Amino acid sequence: MNFADRARAVLPGGVNSPVRAWNGVGGDPVPLASARGSRIVDASGASLIDLVGSWGPAILGHAHPEVVAAVQEAAARGLSFGATTEAEVELAEEIRARYAPAERVRLVSTGTEATMTAIRLARAATGRDLIVKFAGCYHGHSDALLVAAGSGLATAGVPDSAGVTPGAARDTLVLPYGDDAALTDAFAEHGARIAAVITEAAPCNMGVVAPPAGFNRLISTLCRHEGAVMILDEVLTGFRAGPAGWWGVERAHDVAAGLDPWVPDLVAFGKVIGGGMPVAAVGGRTELMERLAPLGPVYQAGTLSGNPVAVAAGLATMRLLDDAVHARVAAASDALRMGVSEALTAAGVRHAVGRAGTLFSVFLGVDDAPVTFEEASRQDTAAFARLFHALRAAGVALPPSAYEAWFVSAAHSSGDIEAIVDAVAAWAAAEAEAP
Ligand SMILES: *Cc1c(COP(=O)(O)O)cnc(C)c1O
């Protein structure tokens, strides 16, 4: 039995998370053995330049020696206590120091828990049921949020999950992303029932989408006027799109333009703050956050929340993530984005690039960067599958889905970027000649 069959014989679909299967590109994934810096090594010993980065956490590159050392030291002191540690407080302080709206922080283990807890807090604080989300935005796999939810579902061709009750789906209102009128109308019609609007700070799970100017601000304004809670999902963008996430990018823009910055009520973090280990967080206004147990009536808990080994990875990562590292990530991202786009243009391959800060993805077969999920779905996923396999053969690992960001890290060298661009150029030339 080959490995893929053996995996499928015990794990549904051979994986523990759906996007790891190559349903969006065809073929069977090769199991990985190790990863270091910008590279992953598969079980056959092949080394590839990685643009997955564990789907976001690996912003320093894989297995940064100082992060690994911090984890080893923490592990030697004990794997889990189920009691508070100093490092948990330090990690929460690191988050708040960079991201002022996170006045209070609760650590959890997954982004799914972070958004689920934010929803529960919003409902408790408002006494309302309805949640507004945007088609193509992914917020983890809790029932209320698993409606029109982007990447994994888009890749699998599953519009919504089975097993979500009509009741859960009925309390979730799905609107097209970036549509001011649809949002304003929803508040006009249902305002008194809306507990929260949840949005990705910049959508990155339908490919990367730049939020239209003023859209996040409109969400904030409407929520404030109508007594609803604005939940900003920065699980993917947090401390990656920019030093203070996507919110920080817009904030800098607004301050430069002489506008009062808008401020989210609750924020979900994940991915980067765990540095490759299971750490996520919900943060926000003190008045909302102090509704959490044990202070308030909103229950939330976790045996492994703030796990000392995981927190050690997150804390070491956050401490290493200074302006110089962010600048390196930005430079690598710019060079790759522009190099890839030029190579595709030179060969006459139709494409558009979606970009939010240092995050980007390439949409093949369209002329304009999408804003809505409907527009993102017009991309040529078959062409992406060909690109994926051509790059794989050339030693580059793209995410196995057209609906994902291309993740660069501070460990990607200019040689790595050149090699990727050359591989894309070679594919584009062959693609342009194909009948
Ligand atoms: C990854 C992701 C989540 C879910 O995080 P998990 O840790 O996988 O549960 C939520 N929101 C966004 C925007 C994400 O990218």
Side-chain angles (χ1 to χ4, degrees), residues 1-27:
M1 212 182 334
N2 70 22
F3 176 79
D5 289 333
R6 182 177 150 206
R8 276 189 286 263
V10 65
L11 306 175
V15 293
N16 283 311
S17 193
V19 282
R20 295 178 197 172
W22 287 4
N23 287 2
V25 292

Side-chain angles (χ1 to χ4, degrees), residues 110-112 138-140 200 205 233 235-236 271:
T110 64
T112 296
Y138 179 65
H139 305 293
E200 284 189 58
N205 285 286
D233 184 344
V235 171
L236 198 153
K271 299 193 169 103

Side-chain angles (χ1 to χ4, degrees), residues 406-435:
W406 295 26
F407 292 98
V408 294
S409 75
H412 283 81
S413 66
S414 50
D416 289 333
I417 304 298
E418 271 170 45
I420 301 167
V421 171
D422 287 350
V424 171
W427 171 78
E431 182 79 2
E433 272 169 29

Side-chain angles (χ1 to χ4, degrees), residues 51-124:
L51 288 175
V52 184
S54 185
W55 305 94
I59 192 163
L60 301 174
H62 292 284
H64 188 289
E66 288 178 48
V67 177
V68 172
V71 166
Q72 287 169 333
E73 283 160 25
R77 289 192 296 268
L79 298 180
S80 174
F81 310 130
T84 302
T85 61
E86 285 178 7
E88 286 168 81
V89 174
E90 289 168 358
L91 179 55
E93 287 170 347
E94 279 289 338
I95 292 168
R96 182 173 61 186
R98 291 151 200 253
Y99 207 108
E103 295 169 1
R104 296 287 183 277
V105 174
R106 170 141 307 169
L107 299 183
V108 294
S109 299
T110 64
T112 296
E113 286 172 87
T115 58
M116 188 178 77
T117 301
I119 296 286
R120 189 177 300 143
L121 271 172
R123 284 177 166 155

